[in-house]
Amino acid sequence: KKRPLEMITTSWDEFWDTGCMPEMDVLRFLFPRHIAPVISRWYRKEDKDELVKRAEFGAQPIVIWQDIFGRWMPFSSEQKAEIKKWKGLYLSHRLTYQCLKPIPLYPVKQKDLYCNVFPADDGSEDIYSFYNDSDAPIGGEILDLLDPHKRDLSILLGTAKIELQGDKLIATLPPKQVVHLCAK
């Protein structure tokens, strides 16, 4: 209904089951300025890895909640380091990640590869958020760039090998990981 959506000013993106990746909040793409932070109060250690990946893949903030009404559900030191890295990246590219026209599930050329694109409103950069859902590295031509004139490429998050061969974006992406590529 239209009226309740007009009244929503904030929310959080809490979920209860440990579904498979890639997973993202569809409303984040339908209402780009309503970016709900990812949270799951009751996740255990291994589930929190997926929680962090979900925030990175959907380019969303994450809520850290470790003391849930007296029950201690901590993040590991590795997870805290990954969250700190993600926070720095998110804040340094906040205007791009919060763009008005994000593109969910951008067309890719490889099976088990998923991509969201965040084109900066001022046209300065496009950030591609990849997730390789296979158990092996994915290599080869992966997609057509949103703007083929943006040829300065850099990896912002994760590890991958990338190169342009003519107009083709060639990459090797690790399994079960989120990788962000910036094109300027």
Side-chain angles (χ1 to χ4, degrees):
K1 295 182 180 182
K2 182 180 177 189
R3 185 70 183 139
L5 288 175
E6 290 173 347
M7 295 173 18
I8 294 173
T9 58
T10 189
S11 64
W12 58 23
D13 183 14
E14 183 164 18
F15 55 103
W16 296 98
D17 63 344
T18 50
C20 61
M21 280 289 294
E23 189 175 56
M24 62 187 177
D25 180 10
V26 174
L27 289 177
R28 188 253 184 276
F29 293 90
L30 295 174
F31 305 102
R33 292 292 192 224
H34 182 79
I35 301 171
V38 173
I39 181 175
S40 186
R41 294 174 285 178
W42 300 104
Y43 269 13
R44 297 175 311 259
K45 179 190 180 312
E46 63 276 5
D47 300 328
K48 289 183 183 202
D49 291 335
E50 297 303 313
L51 185 77
V52 175
K53 288 179 191 176
R54 184 171 192 252
E56 292 171 342
F57 182 65
Q60 295 173 257
I62 186 169
V63 171
I64 306 302
W65 193 344
Q66 299 182 118
D67 182 354
I68 296 82
F69 310 114
R71 183 168 182 190
W72 186 238
M73 304 284 281
F75 284 80
S76 70
S77 57
E78 295 85 8
Q79 291 163 338
K80 289 176 186 177
E82 185 65 22
I83 291 167
K84 184 176 182 177
K85 182 171 47 174
W86 168 237
K87 178 183 176 182
L89 176 63
Y90 183 84
L91 291 176
S92 67
H93 293 271
R94 182 181 57 80
L95 294 178
T96 301
Y97 287 125
Q98 293 179 1
C99 66
L100 290 173
K101 296 181 181 178
I103 304 168
L105 302 176
Y106 187 75
V108 295
K109 299 184 182 221
Q110 298 283 338
K111 184 179 186 277
D112 297 324
L113 180 63
Y114 299 90
C115 179
N116 299 318
V117 182
F118 303 92
D121 295 333
D122 66 3
S124 62
E125 65 182 6
D126 300 329
I127 298 178
Y128 298 81
S129 174
F130 294 102
Y131 185 75
N132 173 355
D133 196 33
S134 73
D135 292 322
I138 289 178
E141 185 179 358
I142 57 171
L143 57 70
D144 294 325
L145 291 174
L146 183 64
D147 181 349
H149 297 100
K150 293 180 180 164
R151 304 191 61 81
D152 182 15
L153 306 177
S154 61
I155 300 293
L156 300 176
L157 180 71
T159 58
K161 295 179 184 176
I162 57 164
E163 67 176 304
L164 281 173
Q165 291 180 359
D167 287 338
K168 296 179 180 181
L169 179 61
I170 309 298
T172 303
L173 301 165
K176 306 295 183 192
Q177 295 298 314
V178 177
V179 172
H180 284 209
L181 167 69
C182 182
K184 291 185 178 191

